[in-house]
Short mmCIF file of all heavy atoms in Angstrom, two decimals:
data_model
loop_
_atom_site.label_atom_id
_atom_site.label_comp_id
_atom_site.label_asym_id
_atom_site.label_seq_id
_atom_site.Cartn_x
_atom_site.Cartn_y
_atom_site.Cartn_z
N GLU A 18 -36.98 1.34 8.96
CA GLU A 18 -37.06 0.58 10.21
C GLU A 18 -36.73 -0.89 9.99
O GLU A 18 -36.19 -1.55 10.88
CB GLU A 18 -38.45 0.74 10.83
CG GLU A 18 -38.74 2.16 11.31
CD GLU A 18 -37.64 2.70 12.22
OE1 GLU A 18 -37.24 2.00 13.18
OE2 GLU A 18 -37.17 3.84 11.98
N VAL A 19 -37.06 -1.42 8.82
CA VAL A 19 -36.67 -2.78 8.47
C VAL A 19 -35.14 -2.90 8.48
O VAL A 19 -34.58 -3.85 9.04
CB VAL A 19 -37.23 -3.19 7.09
CG1 VAL A 19 -36.63 -4.52 6.63
CG2 VAL A 19 -38.75 -3.27 7.14
N ILE A 20 -34.46 -1.92 7.88
CA ILE A 20 -33.00 -1.93 7.84
C ILE A 20 -32.43 -1.82 9.25
O ILE A 20 -31.50 -2.55 9.61
CB ILE A 20 -32.47 -0.79 6.95
CG1 ILE A 20 -32.95 -0.98 5.51
CG2 ILE A 20 -30.94 -0.73 7.01
CD1 ILE A 20 -32.58 0.17 4.59
N VAL A 21 -32.99 -0.93 10.05
CA VAL A 21 -32.51 -0.76 11.42
C VAL A 21 -32.65 -2.07 12.20
O VAL A 21 -31.73 -2.48 12.94
CB VAL A 21 -33.26 0.39 12.12
CG1 VAL A 21 -32.96 0.40 13.62
CG2 VAL A 21 -32.87 1.73 11.50
N ASP A 22 -33.77 -2.75 12.05
CA ASP A 22 -33.97 -4.03 12.73
C ASP A 22 -32.93 -5.06 12.27
O ASP A 22 -32.38 -5.81 13.08
CB ASP A 22 -35.38 -4.56 12.49
CG ASP A 22 -36.45 -3.76 13.23
OD1 ASP A 22 -36.08 -3.02 14.18
OD2 ASP A 22 -37.62 -3.85 12.83
N GLU A 23 -32.69 -5.09 10.98
CA GLU A 23 -31.70 -6.05 10.44
C GLU A 23 -30.29 -5.69 10.92
O GLU A 23 -29.47 -6.58 11.16
CB GLU A 23 -31.77 -6.07 8.92
CG GLU A 23 -33.07 -6.61 8.33
CD GLU A 23 -33.22 -8.12 8.50
OE1 GLU A 23 -32.28 -8.78 8.96
OE2 GLU A 23 -34.30 -8.64 8.14
N LEU A 24 -30.01 -4.41 11.03
CA LEU A 24 -28.71 -4.00 11.55
C LEU A 24 -28.52 -4.50 12.98
O LEU A 24 -27.45 -5.01 13.35
CB LEU A 24 -28.59 -2.48 11.52
CG LEU A 24 -28.34 -1.84 10.15
CD1 LEU A 24 -28.60 -0.34 10.20
CD2 LEU A 24 -26.90 -2.10 9.69
N ARG A 25 -29.56 -4.39 13.79
CA ARG A 25 -29.48 -4.84 15.18
C ARG A 25 -29.32 -6.35 15.28
O ARG A 25 -28.73 -6.86 16.23
CB ARG A 25 -30.72 -4.36 15.94
CG ARG A 25 -30.73 -2.84 16.15
CD ARG A 25 -32.07 -2.35 16.66
NE ARG A 25 -32.04 -0.90 16.86
CZ ARG A 25 -33.13 -0.15 17.02
NH1 ARG A 25 -34.34 -0.71 17.00
NH2 ARG A 25 -33.00 1.16 17.21
N ASP A 26 -29.84 -7.06 14.26
CA ASP A 26 -29.70 -8.52 14.24
C ASP A 26 -28.37 -8.97 13.64
O ASP A 26 -28.11 -10.18 13.56
CB ASP A 26 -30.84 -9.14 13.44
CG ASP A 26 -32.18 -9.03 14.15
OD1 ASP A 26 -32.16 -8.79 15.38
OD2 ASP A 26 -33.22 -9.17 13.49
N GLY A 27 -27.56 -8.01 13.18
CA GLY A 27 -26.25 -8.36 12.62
C GLY A 27 -26.28 -8.78 11.17
O GLY A 27 -25.26 -9.26 10.65
N THR A 28 -27.40 -8.58 10.49
CA THR A 28 -27.53 -9.04 9.10
C THR A 28 -26.52 -8.36 8.18
O THR A 28 -26.00 -8.98 7.24
CB THR A 28 -28.96 -8.78 8.59
OG1 THR A 28 -29.89 -9.41 9.46
CG2 THR A 28 -29.15 -9.32 7.18
N PHE A 29 -26.23 -7.07 8.43
CA PHE A 29 -25.34 -6.33 7.55
C PHE A 29 -23.86 -6.45 7.95
O PHE A 29 -23.01 -5.81 7.34
CB PHE A 29 -25.74 -4.85 7.50
CG PHE A 29 -27.02 -4.61 6.75
CD1 PHE A 29 -28.23 -4.60 7.40
CD2 PHE A 29 -27.00 -4.42 5.38
CE1 PHE A 29 -29.42 -4.38 6.72
CE2 PHE A 29 -28.17 -4.20 4.68
CZ PHE A 29 -29.39 -4.19 5.35
N ASP A 30 -23.56 -7.27 8.95
CA ASP A 30 -22.16 -7.56 9.28
C ASP A 30 -21.64 -8.56 8.26
O ASP A 30 -22.25 -9.61 8.04
CB ASP A 30 -22.04 -8.14 10.68
CG ASP A 30 -22.47 -7.14 11.75
OD1 ASP A 30 -22.55 -5.94 11.44
OD2 ASP A 30 -22.73 -7.58 12.89
N ASN A 31 -20.56 -8.23 7.63
CA ASN A 31 -20.02 -9.10 6.58
C ASN A 31 -18.50 -8.97 6.63
O ASN A 31 -17.93 -8.05 6.04
CB ASN A 31 -20.56 -8.67 5.20
CG ASN A 31 -20.40 -9.75 4.17
OD1 ASN A 31 -19.42 -10.49 4.20
ND2 ASN A 31 -21.35 -9.83 3.25
N PRO A 32 -17.84 -9.87 7.37
CA PRO A 32 -16.42 -9.67 7.66
C PRO A 32 -15.50 -9.74 6.46
O PRO A 32 -14.33 -9.41 6.56
CB PRO A 32 -16.11 -10.80 8.65
CG PRO A 32 -17.17 -11.83 8.41
CD PRO A 32 -18.39 -11.08 8.02
N GLN A 33 -16.03 -10.16 5.30
CA GLN A 33 -15.19 -10.08 4.11
C GLN A 33 -14.90 -8.62 3.78
O GLN A 33 -15.80 -7.78 3.82
CB GLN A 33 -15.89 -10.70 2.91
CG GLN A 33 -16.22 -12.17 3.02
CD GLN A 33 -16.83 -12.66 1.72
OE1 GLN A 33 -16.13 -12.87 0.74
NE2 GLN A 33 -18.14 -12.80 1.71
N ALA A 34 -13.67 -8.33 3.47
CA ALA A 34 -13.33 -6.99 2.97
C ALA A 34 -13.57 -7.01 1.46
O ALA A 34 -12.89 -7.72 0.73
CB ALA A 34 -11.88 -6.66 3.29
N ILE A 35 -14.55 -6.23 1.02
CA ILE A 35 -14.97 -6.24 -0.38
C ILE A 35 -14.81 -4.84 -0.96
O ILE A 35 -15.15 -3.84 -0.31
CB ILE A 35 -16.43 -6.70 -0.52
CG1 ILE A 35 -16.62 -8.10 0.05
CG2 ILE A 35 -16.87 -6.66 -1.99
CD1 ILE A 35 -15.96 -9.20 -0.73
N LEU A 36 -14.32 -4.79 -2.19
CA LEU A 36 -14.18 -3.52 -2.91
C LEU A 36 -15.08 -3.51 -4.14
O LEU A 36 -15.35 -4.56 -4.74
CB LEU A 36 -12.73 -3.32 -3.37
CG LEU A 36 -11.65 -3.31 -2.30
CD1 LEU A 36 -10.29 -3.09 -2.95
CD2 LEU A 36 -11.93 -2.25 -1.26
N GLY A 37 -15.54 -2.33 -4.50
CA GLY A 37 -16.30 -2.15 -5.73
C GLY A 37 -15.86 -0.88 -6.43
O GLY A 37 -15.16 -0.04 -5.86
N LEU A 38 -16.27 -0.72 -7.68
CA LEU A 38 -15.88 0.45 -8.46
C LEU A 38 -16.92 0.73 -9.53
O LEU A 38 -17.33 -0.17 -10.26
CB LEU A 38 -14.51 0.23 -9.12
CG LEU A 38 -13.97 1.38 -9.98
CD1 LEU A 38 -13.67 2.60 -9.13
CD2 LEU A 38 -12.72 0.94 -10.75
N GLU A 39 -17.35 1.97 -9.61
CA GLU A 39 -18.15 2.47 -10.73
C GLU A 39 -17.26 3.43 -11.52
O GLU A 39 -16.55 4.24 -10.94
CB GLU A 39 -19.40 3.19 -10.23
CG GLU A 39 -20.33 2.31 -9.42
CD GLU A 39 -21.45 3.10 -8.78
OE1 GLU A 39 -22.23 3.73 -9.52
OE2 GLU A 39 -21.54 3.11 -7.53
N TYR A 40 -17.34 3.33 -12.84
CA TYR A 40 -16.39 4.04 -13.70
C TYR A 40 -17.17 4.63 -14.87
O TYR A 40 -17.75 3.92 -15.67
CB TYR A 40 -15.33 3.04 -14.20
CG TYR A 40 -14.05 3.61 -14.76
CD1 TYR A 40 -12.88 2.84 -14.74
CD2 TYR A 40 -13.97 4.88 -15.34
CE1 TYR A 40 -11.68 3.33 -15.24
CE2 TYR A 40 -12.79 5.36 -15.84
CZ TYR A 40 -11.64 4.58 -15.81
OH TYR A 40 -10.46 5.07 -16.33
N GLU A 41 -17.18 5.96 -14.97
CA GLU A 41 -17.94 6.66 -16.00
C GLU A 41 -17.02 7.15 -17.13
O GLU A 41 -15.86 7.52 -16.89
CB GLU A 41 -18.68 7.86 -15.39
CG GLU A 41 -19.69 7.47 -14.33
CD GLU A 41 -20.26 8.65 -13.58
OE1 GLU A 41 -19.79 9.80 -13.82
OE2 GLU A 41 -21.17 8.45 -12.77
N PHE A 42 -17.59 7.18 -18.33
CA PHE A 42 -16.87 7.63 -19.53
C PHE A 42 -17.79 8.55 -20.34
O PHE A 42 -18.99 8.60 -20.12
CB PHE A 42 -16.49 6.45 -20.42
CG PHE A 42 -15.61 5.42 -19.75
CD1 PHE A 42 -16.16 4.43 -18.95
CD2 PHE A 42 -14.23 5.43 -19.93
CE1 PHE A 42 -15.36 3.48 -18.32
CE2 PHE A 42 -13.42 4.49 -19.32
CZ PHE A 42 -14.00 3.51 -18.51
N TYR A 43 -17.19 9.27 -21.28
CA TYR A 43 -18.00 9.93 -22.29
C TYR A 43 -17.43 9.59 -23.65
O TYR A 43 -16.27 9.14 -23.78
CB TYR A 43 -18.11 11.44 -22.07
CG TYR A 43 -16.83 12.24 -22.17
CD1 TYR A 43 -16.33 12.65 -23.41
CD2 TYR A 43 -16.15 12.66 -21.03
CE1 TYR A 43 -15.18 13.42 -23.51
CE2 TYR A 43 -15.01 13.43 -21.11
CZ TYR A 43 -14.52 13.81 -22.35
OH TYR A 43 -13.38 14.57 -22.44
N ALA A 44 -18.23 9.76 -24.70
CA ALA A 44 -17.83 9.35 -26.05
C ALA A 44 -17.49 10.57 -26.90
O ALA A 44 -18.14 11.62 -26.80
CB ALA A 44 -18.96 8.57 -26.71
N VAL A 45 -16.46 10.41 -27.71
CA VAL A 45 -16.07 11.43 -28.68
C VAL A 45 -15.88 10.78 -30.03
O VAL A 45 -15.76 9.56 -30.15
CB VAL A 45 -14.76 12.15 -28.27
CG1 VAL A 45 -14.91 12.83 -26.91
CG2 VAL A 45 -13.57 11.19 -28.26
N SER A 46 -15.85 11.61 -31.06
CA SER A 46 -15.52 11.10 -32.39
C SER A 46 -14.08 10.62 -32.38
O SER A 46 -13.23 11.17 -31.67
CB SER A 46 -15.71 12.19 -33.44
OG SER A 46 -14.91 13.32 -33.13
N GLU A 47 -13.79 9.59 -33.11
CA GLU A 47 -12.44 9.02 -33.18
C GLU A 47 -11.65 9.77 -34.23
O GLU A 47 -11.87 9.58 -35.43
CB GLU A 47 -12.52 7.53 -33.51
CG GLU A 47 -11.17 6.84 -33.64
CD GLU A 47 -10.43 6.73 -32.32
OE1 GLU A 47 -9.72 7.71 -31.98
OE2 GLU A 47 -10.54 5.70 -31.65
N PRO A 48 -10.72 10.67 -33.84
CA PRO A 48 -9.95 11.42 -34.84
C PRO A 48 -8.97 10.50 -35.56
O PRO A 48 -8.54 9.48 -35.03
CB PRO A 48 -9.20 12.47 -34.01
CG PRO A 48 -9.81 12.41 -32.63
CD PRO A 48 -10.34 11.03 -32.48
N ARG A 49 -8.63 10.90 -36.78
CA ARG A 49 -7.59 10.16 -37.49
C ARG A 49 -6.25 10.39 -36.79
O ARG A 49 -5.94 11.53 -36.41
CB ARG A 49 -7.48 10.65 -38.94
CG ARG A 49 -8.72 10.44 -39.76
CD ARG A 49 -8.42 10.70 -41.25
NE ARG A 49 -7.65 11.92 -41.45
CZ ARG A 49 -8.22 13.11 -41.64
NH1 ARG A 49 -9.53 13.24 -41.60
NH2 ARG A 49 -7.48 14.18 -41.85
N PRO A 50 -5.43 9.34 -36.61
CA PRO A 50 -4.16 9.54 -35.92
C PRO A 50 -3.20 10.45 -36.68
O PRO A 50 -2.29 11.02 -36.08
CB PRO A 50 -3.60 8.11 -35.81
CG PRO A 50 -4.32 7.32 -36.83
CD PRO A 50 -5.68 7.94 -36.97
N ASP A 51 -3.43 10.64 -37.99
CA ASP A 51 -2.53 11.50 -38.77
C ASP A 51 -3.12 12.88 -39.01
O ASP A 51 -2.63 13.64 -39.84
CB ASP A 51 -2.23 10.85 -40.12
CG ASP A 51 -3.49 10.64 -40.96
OD1 ASP A 51 -4.61 10.70 -40.37
OD2 ASP A 51 -3.37 10.39 -42.17
N ALA A 52 -4.18 13.22 -38.27
CA ALA A 52 -4.91 14.46 -38.56
C ALA A 52 -4.27 15.66 -37.90
O ALA A 52 -4.89 16.39 -37.14
CB ALA A 52 -6.36 14.33 -38.13
N ARG A 53 -3.02 15.90 -38.15
CA ARG A 53 -2.35 17.10 -37.67
C ARG A 53 -1.72 17.81 -38.87
O ARG A 53 -1.14 17.18 -39.75
CB ARG A 53 -1.27 16.76 -36.65
CG ARG A 53 -1.85 16.31 -35.32
CD ARG A 53 -0.80 16.47 -34.25
NE ARG A 53 -1.31 16.02 -32.97
CZ ARG A 53 -1.77 16.82 -32.03
NH1 ARG A 53 -1.79 18.11 -32.23
NH2 ARG A 53 -2.21 16.35 -30.88
N LYS A 54 -1.85 19.09 -38.85
CA LYS A 54 -1.24 19.88 -39.92
C LYS A 54 0.26 19.99 -39.70
O LYS A 54 0.76 19.74 -38.61
CB LYS A 54 -1.86 21.27 -39.95
CG LYS A 54 -3.36 21.28 -40.30
CD LYS A 54 -3.89 22.69 -40.29
CE LYS A 54 -5.37 22.73 -40.65
NZ LYS A 54 -5.91 24.09 -40.59
N ALA A 55 0.93 20.39 -40.73
CA ALA A 55 2.37 20.61 -40.61
C ALA A 55 2.64 21.63 -39.52
O ALA A 55 1.92 22.62 -39.38
CB ALA A 55 2.92 21.10 -41.96
N GLY A 56 3.68 21.38 -38.74
CA GLY A 56 4.03 22.29 -37.67
C GLY A 56 3.32 21.98 -36.37
O GLY A 56 3.51 22.66 -35.39
N GLY A 57 2.47 20.92 -36.36
CA GLY A 57 1.84 20.49 -35.12
C GLY A 57 0.50 21.13 -34.83
O GLY A 57 -0.10 20.87 -33.81
N ALA A 58 0.01 21.98 -35.74
CA ALA A 58 -1.29 22.60 -35.49
C ALA A 58 -2.40 21.57 -35.60
O ALA A 58 -2.31 20.62 -36.37
CB ALA A 58 -1.52 23.74 -36.49
N GLU A 59 -3.48 21.75 -34.82
CA GLU A 59 -4.58 20.82 -34.85
C GLU A 59 -5.53 21.15 -35.99
O GLU A 59 -5.79 22.31 -36.30
CB GLU A 59 -5.35 20.85 -33.51
CG GLU A 59 -4.62 20.21 -32.35
CD GLU A 59 -3.67 21.17 -31.65
OE1 GLU A 59 -3.64 22.35 -32.03
OE2 GLU A 59 -2.95 20.71 -30.74
N ASP A 60 -6.08 20.13 -36.61
CA ASP A 60 -7.09 20.29 -37.64
C ASP A 60 -8.44 20.41 -36.93
O ASP A 60 -8.94 19.44 -36.36
CB ASP A 60 -7.08 19.07 -38.56
CG ASP A 60 -8.09 19.21 -39.71
OD1 ASP A 60 -8.93 20.11 -39.64
OD2 ASP A 60 -8.02 18.39 -40.64
N ALA A 61 -9.03 21.60 -36.94
CA ALA A 61 -10.26 21.84 -36.21
C ALA A 61 -11.38 20.91 -36.67
O ALA A 61 -12.27 20.57 -35.91
CB ALA A 61 -10.69 23.30 -36.37
#
């Protein structure tokens, strides 16, 4: 109800066009760049 009252008073009007971004990642072990077997097979 506090938010609703503030909305009616125009508090949440903000004519600036604003962008935001949340960006998630996960972590893996860093493989050696040369860790491929002959013929292109992956080293498990």
